[in-house]
Amino acid sequence: MIKQELKELGILATNLGSSTGQNWFATGADITSSSPVDGQVIATVTCSSHNDYKDICVQAKKAYAIWRLVPAPQRGEVIRLFGDKLRSLKPTLGKLVSYEMGKSLQEGMGEVQEMIDICDFAVGLSRQLYGSTIHSERPSHRMYDQYHPLGVVGVISAFNFPVAVWAWNTALALVCGDVVIWKPSEKTPLCAIACQQILADILKQKELPEGISNLIIGEKTVGEWLVNDTNIPLISATGSTAMGKTVAQHVAARLGRSILELGGNNAIIITPDADLKMTTIGAVFGAVGTAGQRCTSTRRLIIHESVYEQVKASLIKAYAQLQIGDPLLPENHVGPLIDQKAVAHYLDALSEIEKQGGKLIVTGGLLTGKGFESGCYVKPAIAEVENHYDIVQQETFAPILYLIKYQGDVMEAIAIQNDVKQGLSSAIMTNNLREAELFLSAQGSDCGIANINIGTSGAEIGGAFGGEKETGGGRESGSDAWKAYMRRQTNTINYSTELPLAQGITFNL
């Protein structure tokens, strides 16, 4: 059902490798890409061998020597063309994202739109890579700082956003003068091949080296090559906290840099002053969107006892109306989990909730029968729990929503929200100005993202995206996140006829 889309994206073969003329090195073992939508194999993909990786690194290094000298506004023009191409291919690429990953078609289109948005942001940034002028303590001296390209950037992305997160990193890195080697999730290789093909066509059109954008496909070992390579000064990695800890240790051991976007355990606080209609919309979308497989998915609702029963009843009613099935059909709200391993984790979590004392009020479970043959469809579940339960403290990448009651003021709710190891996204639903301001203050949310009267999901490109604690501390996308992809240099110019030394030191010759 996806053959026409693959053809439109320049992916012409069912067995994809270097022999097909695609823009990556691939002479290793084969893997298959299967859709969680219907369980069908989409294509067989040839992975990159270690020798392929070495060749890619040589190609990237040569390309960097050229690309870093291209003026930043001209680099921005390449990204502008890439964004324009994405606009024309949005329906096609969006459908591939939906089919290969399993998110709704609307979400697949939205992910491609995020790519377009970051391209727009990066084009503007290409004329705004500002440094600062600094007043020197020495007469007739001028000081300033400036930013230079960093080098070859390694990007490791996850299956849940198979194209957008790469684009967040790549659009900024390329505008900054870096080149990129991308290791996508082995669960969504076709989305990566499509993106590589689109950008490679733009580079060819501008007569630029293809090594500016590079792709390596494979499993864990391929990522390890990137992480341990001393020639790659920056690794941007998205995935689980366990994976991020390993990446951080290895990159730090060689004094490299890392941008880590890891697990979330995101909560919405619901106070007595909340608009409960808005609350239901935000909570349901946050909990079941992408079948709960977003790092910003809503995992916990921390609800004041005075509105607890009302919120619970509203959620149960809303969950009864959810349509589960083929995500390419617009009437369905919830698609499949990525694979049957994810289903097993989901089922284990449901079992643990009851073992640890929780109560399932929307029971969930595996869906079988017509339309669910892939074995990847599950029912979104809701459970009443305590925040200290081990299962609640973990991130389960599935549509399970925990309800937690609080009795006191908003500071009690904030303490409950912060009492997890992760610190990505957070939100409060309230029309009370004092509660809102407390939530955003230094004694409020300890997360990288804190929202008022919107949910935990749906970050905008213009803001820096990332979190604290076991979420990794990295920042991608907007604001000044671009600085992570560059090296900072402080410059001092002496335009006098003397050489005064700092701190009043004299040294006469």
Side-chain angles (χ1 to χ4, degrees):
M1 66 180 297
I2 205 75
K3 287 183 179 179
Q4 181 59 36
E5 285 73 16
L6 293 175
K7 185 176 181 181
E8 290 175 15
L9 293 166
I11 304 175
L12 304 177
T14 55
N15 188 294
L16 300 172
S18 57
S19 62
T20 66
Q22 303 297 329
N23 288 282
W24 84 98
F25 292 77
T27 61
D30 287 345
I31 59 173
T32 57
S33 171
S34 300
S35 172
V37 175
D38 54 18
Q40 297 299 307
V41 173
I42 312 172
T44 300
V45 179
T46 304
C47 297
S48 303
S49 68
H50 194 245
N51 284 334
D52 295 329
Y53 175 74
K54 292 178 181 178
D55 291 340
I56 286 169
C57 289
V58 171
Q59 174 177 276
K61 189 174 181 180
K62 289 179 179 178
Y64 173 62
I66 297 169
W67 183 241
R68 66 182 175 180
L69 300 180
V70 175
Q74 292 183 30
R75 301 195 293 254
E77 172 64 8
V78 172
I79 298 302
R80 186 190 68 80
L81 292 172
F82 181 48
D84 285 349
K85 190 66 174 177
L86 289 172
R87 283 179 171 87
S88 67
L89 291 171
K90 179 178 174 180
T92 308
L93 183 56
K95 188 173 181 180
L96 176 60
V97 169
S98 177
Y99 186 63
E100 188 175 33
M101 185 268 151
K103 62 177 59 178
S104 73
L105 182 57
Q106 186 178 4
E107 289 182 274
M109 299 281 224
E111 185 169 347
V112 180
Q113 186 60 49
E114 285 192 38
M115 301 175 75
I116 295 167
D117 291 344
I118 195 63
C119 286
D120 287 350
F121 181 91
V123 172
L125 179 65
S126 69
R127 296 179 183 270
Q128 300 179 71
L129 300 173
Y130 298 139
S132 302
T133 298
I134 306 156
H135 289 281
S136 173
E137 66 185 39
R138 290 168 286 188
S140 300
H141 282 60
R142 180 167 66 88
M143 292 177 64
Y144 66 95
D145 58 17
Q146 62 178 332
Y147 292 85
H148 293 301
L150 193 58
V152 181
V153 172
V155 177
I156 301 172
S157 63
F159 73 86
N160 59 332
F161 281 87
V163 296
V165 171
W166 167 75
W168 289 359
N169 284 276
T170 298
L172 296 190
L174 295 192
V175 159
C176 289
D178 302 319
V179 303
V180 173
I181 300 177
W182 179 21
K183 191 276 179 196
S185 170
E186 64 275 16
K187 298 178 182 181
T188 51
L190 297 179
C191 289
I193 293 167
C195 291
Q196 174 69 9
Q197 187 71 35
I198 295 166
L199 185 50
D201 288 346
I202 300 297
L203 294 171
K204 185 177 181 180
Q205 174 187 331
K206 298 294 288 185
E207 299 182 344
L208 288 164
E210 62 179 291
I212 291 169
S213 175
N214 305 275
L215 179 64
I216 53 172
I217 292 177
E219 298 185 354
K220 181 180 177 181
T221 302
V222 175
E224 291 173 351
W225 300 335
L226 274 174
V227 167
N228 292 299
D229 193 336
T230 56
N231 294 307
I232 299 179
L234 173 65
I235 296 291
S236 176
T238 302
S240 68
T241 296
M243 179 275 284
K245 287 181 177 180
T246 300
V247 169
Q249 291 170 8
H250 285 268
V251 175
R254 60 179 178 83
L255 298 181
R257 302 187 196 179
S258 58
I259 300 173
L260 300 175
E261 299 292 354
L262 311 175
N265 198 343
N266 315 295
I268 300 176
I269 294 172
I270 303 169
T271 79
D273 290 311
D275 181 320
L276 296 187
K277 182 178 180 181
M278 288 173 57
T279 295
T280 301
I281 294 170
V284 173
F285 171 73
V288 307
T290 324
Q293 296 173 113
R294 294 183 178 210
C295 51
T296 56
S297 290
T298 304
R299 309 288 177 199
R300 299 174 294 145
L301 296 185
I302 303 166
I303 311 166
H304 192 269
E305 62 177 355
S306 65
V307 293
Y308 184 88
E309 293 301 327
Q310 190 176 351
V311 171
K312 181 170 77 170
S314 180
L315 289 169
I316 292 172
K317 181 179 178 181
Y319 269 52
Q321 300 173 50
L322 291 174
Q323 297 294 315
I324 307 168
D326 185 342
L328 275 69
L329 299 177
E331 63 266 24
N332 290 326
H333 305 106
V334 184
L337 294 177
I338 185 64
D339 54 26
Q340 292 183 18
K341 184 177 180 181
V343 172
H345 285 308
Y346 159 83
L347 294 173
D348 287 345
L350 294 183
S351 177
E352 282 300 315
I353 288 167
E354 295 187 305
K355 286 180 183 178
Q356 294 176 26
K359 178 183 178 182
L360 288 164
I361 58 174
V362 175
T363 54
L366 177 66
L367 290 166
T368 58
K370 185 174 175 56
F372 305 123
E373 291 87 354
S374 70
C376 296
Y377 290 88
V378 301
K379 300 176 186 177
I382 302 177
E384 294 180 297
V385 298
E386 298 291 336
N387 195 64
H388 62 81
Y389 293 173
D390 286 345
I391 191 63
V392 178
Q393 292 285 313
Q394 302 168 18
E395 179 189 42
T396 301
F397 231 48
I400 302 175
L401 180 62
Y402 299 122
L403 307 189
I404 301 164
K405 187 185 296 184
Y406 79 99
Q407 299 174 327
D409 63 14
V410 72
M411 293 308 297
E412 178 188 338
I414 290 171
I416 294 170
Q417 181 208 271
N418 292 345
D419 190 22
V420 292
K421 294 180 179 180
Q422 308 85 357
L424 179 52
S425 188
S426 59
I428 187 171
M429 294 292 186
T430 182
N431 289 323
N432 184 311
L433 178 62
R434 288 176 175 171
E435 289 179 334
E437 290 294 340
L438 277 170
F439 185 73
L440 299 179
S441 72
Q443 59 187 317
S445 170
D446 64 0
C447 296
I449 299 169
N451 298 327
I452 310 295
N453 291 331
I454 62 172
T456 61
S457 234
E460 292 187 30
I461 286 300
F465 180 88
E468 302 301 322
K469 301 190 294 187
E470 287 197 353
T471 301
R475 293 298 185 273
E476 295 171 329
S477 191
S479 187
D480 65 348
W482 62 270
K483 292 181 179 179
Y485 302 86
M486 304 196 82
R487 59 182 177 88
R488 185 172 186 159
Q489 185 179 79
T490 301
N491 307 118
T492 305
I493 300 170
N494 177 4
Y495 57 92
S496 74
T497 58
E498 299 179 353
L499 184 58
L501 302 178
Q503 290 88 43
I505 297 172
T506 60
F507 189 65
N508 296 317
L509 291 176

